[in-house]
Amino acid sequence: MRQSRRCSRSGCAQPAAATLTYVYAESTAVVGPLATFSEPHSYDLCEFHAERLTVPRGWEVVRHEIDLEDAGPTGDDLLALADAVREAARPEPPRDPADDGSGTRRGHLRVLPDLT
């Protein structure tokens, strides 16, 4: 279930539909789909305010398509998540029988004791 966030504009109680982020180094404002999490340096905007955003003279606005019908993660997102969980749950491979125990193993590296 998606948590409802409100528009960041003062006095607006409409649900957020887009996220606004400023790229100060490039004098650009980016308006895109609503971010998954509310970030401290970005602003959630309703559809009305996202469409009517203006920026200072000399700045550029980059608008990414906003899908208001987005119901959450896609099938590909869920499959990628399931693959990542499966990979993390895999048991470690068996130890190399040729390993005589001398030295300390760190992943694929081995630290050998000083023989001098």
Side-chain angles (χ1 to χ4, degrees):
M1 183 176 161
R2 223 175 230 202
Q3 185 176 2
S4 177
R5 297 195 314 245
R6 299 282 174 211
C7 182
S8 297
R9 294 289 302 256
S10 297
C12 183
Q14 294 298 313
T19 297
L20 166 65
T21 306
Y22 291 108
V23 183
Y24 293 100
E26 298 177 12
S27 300
T28 304
V30 180
V31 179
L34 186 62
T36 306
F37 300 102
S38 180
E39 298 289 331
H41 298 290
S42 62
Y43 304 90
D44 295 335
L45 299 176
C46 65
E47 185 178 2
F48 177 84
H49 287 119
E51 289 175 358
R52 289 160 182 79
L53 176 76
T54 60
V55 294
R57 189 174 300 149
W59 279 58
E60 181 182 359
V61 178
V62 175
R63 296 180 191 274
H64 294 279
E65 184 179 330
I66 300 168
D67 184 8
L68 297 176
E69 301 299 320
D70 184 15
T74 64
D76 290 340
D77 294 335
L78 296 175
L79 287 175
L81 180 60
D83 289 341
V85 169
R86 239 183 260 116
E87 182 69 28
R90 275 197 184 131
E92 287 191 28
R95 293 205 176 256
D96 183 9
D99 187 5
D100 63 359
S102 64
T104 306
R105 289 191 61 84
R106 302 276 182 179
H108 66 283
L109 302 175
R110 181 178 305 170
V111 178
L112 298 175
D114 187 10
L115 300 176
T116 57

